[in-house]
């Protein structure tokens, strides 16, 4: 099919969300419902993309072949047409035992270059602004030294869907402070105004 833009067997293999409901969006792109199996497959896939000499090798190559970006940290769910409005309600034990192990596996094995925050929210906090998940857990606790990129077109949701921010500058500041390094879209263009208005500082940008 010449119009097919996603090859679900390979082109979308960067989705490691745990599939809990077949009605959720992105389910065809996931590895299934098992946290352990998802972690193992994602580890092998990413090591291959990065250029590791083998699955067992603990050391990344000196020159990386590619920089795989994995989606969507951490519990992306909901119907595809409502993904900008969906709030994934997940208990802390379930988050730790089900949704985060595959991510931790990639970080601990130096097989994660980039992590994409989710379009949906997690327990009332938009994925792009989830500071405890993106910064406290991923960057501070796990010491992930790669980059975090937003899912595409999520900045407007902070204003229109979640009422998380009142202005574009506030939305940009919130996403930056939460741990996003790169934005898929024009949202970070508002960081200049955010700095001028005191929502962010040069330290936040370093």
């Amino acid at each position: 099919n010449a119009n097919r833009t996603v090859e679900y067997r390979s082109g979308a293999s960067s989705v490691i969300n745990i599939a809990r409901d077949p009605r959720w969006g992105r389910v065809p792109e996931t590895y299934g419902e098992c946290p352990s199996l998802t972690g193992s497959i994602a580890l092998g896939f990413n090591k291959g993309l990065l250029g590791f000499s083998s699955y067992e090798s603990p050391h990344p190559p000196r020159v990386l072949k590619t920089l795989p970006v994995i989606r969507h940290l951490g519990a992306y769910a909901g119907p595809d047409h409502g993904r900008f409005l969906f709030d994934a309600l997940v208990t802390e034990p379930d988050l730790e035992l089900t949704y985060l192990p595959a991510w931790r596996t990639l970080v601990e094995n130096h097989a994660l270059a980039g992590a994409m925050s989710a379009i949906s929210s997690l327990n009332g906090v938009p994925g792009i602004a989830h500071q405890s998940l993106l910064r406290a857990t991923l960057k501070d606790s796990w010491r992930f030294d790669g980059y975090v990129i937003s899912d595409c077109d999520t900045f407007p949701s902070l204003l229109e869907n979640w009422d998380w921010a009142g202005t574009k500058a506030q939305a940009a500041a919130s996403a930056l402070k939460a741990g996003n390094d790169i934005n898929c879209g024009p949202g970070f263009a508002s960081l200049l105004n955010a700095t001028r208005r005191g929502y962010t500082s040069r330290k936040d940008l370093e």
Side-chain angles (χ1 to χ4, degrees):
N1 186 344
N3 294 321
R4 187 174 185 177
T5 58
V6 175
E7 172 51 69
Y8 286 115
R9 291 169 297 178
S10 59
S13 296
S14 63
V15 174
I16 64 169
N17 295 120
I18 302 301
R20 280 283 184 84
D21 191 317
R23 296 169 297 179
W24 289 355
R26 306 301 190 202
V27 164
E29 304 174 39
T30 71
Y31 295 131
E33 61 184 348
C34 177
S36 179
L37 183 61
T38 295
S40 296
I41 297 175
L43 183 59
F45 187 81
N46 270 26
K47 280 190 169 183
L49 290 176
L50 286 162
F52 279 70
S53 59
S54 69
Y55 183 87
E56 291 76 20
S57 175
H59 305 295
R62 186 174 61 86
V63 178
L64 302 178
K65 287 186 176 180
T66 61
L67 296 175
V69 177
I70 305 306
R71 306 172 286 166
H72 309 80
L73 190 67
Y76 176 92
D80 194 49
H81 70 276
R83 63 191 184 278
F84 286 93
L85 297 168
F86 190 80
D87 184 24
L89 302 179
V90 183
T91 64
E92 285 298 323
D94 200 17
L95 189 65
E96 289 292 330
L97 295 173
T98 306
Y99 294 97
L100 295 184
W103 292 93
R104 190 183 297 113
T105 294
L106 292 177
V107 173
E108 291 175 348
N109 287 276
H110 310 288
L112 182 64
M116 179 178 284
S117 55
I119 289 177
S120 54
S121 70
L122 174 62
N123 296 328
V125 182
I128 191 175
H130 211 297
Q131 189 166 352
S132 66
L133 185 62
L134 302 179
R135 185 171 295 282
T137 298
L138 180 66
K139 293 188 173 183
D140 295 342
S141 179
W142 297 351
R143 299 190 180 282
F144 173 60
D145 60 358
Y147 59 91
V148 174
I149 182 172
S150 74
D151 207 333
C152 296
D153 303 318
T154 50
F155 268 84
S157 293
L158 291 176
L159 301 169
E160 301 165 8
N161 298 340
W162 303 112
D163 292 326
W164 191 261
T167 65
K168 292 180 179 179
Q170 289 176 331
S174 179
L176 179 71
K177 290 181 177 181
N180 285 274
D181 303 297
I182 305 171
N183 173 45
C184 177
F188 273 167
S190 301
L191 282 175
L192 180 59
N193 283 335
T195 304
R196 287 173 174 171
R197 294 176 181 275
Y199 301 142
T200 62
S201 65
R202 289 187 176 274
K203 184 178 180 180
D204 295 325
L205 296 169
E206 293 177 353

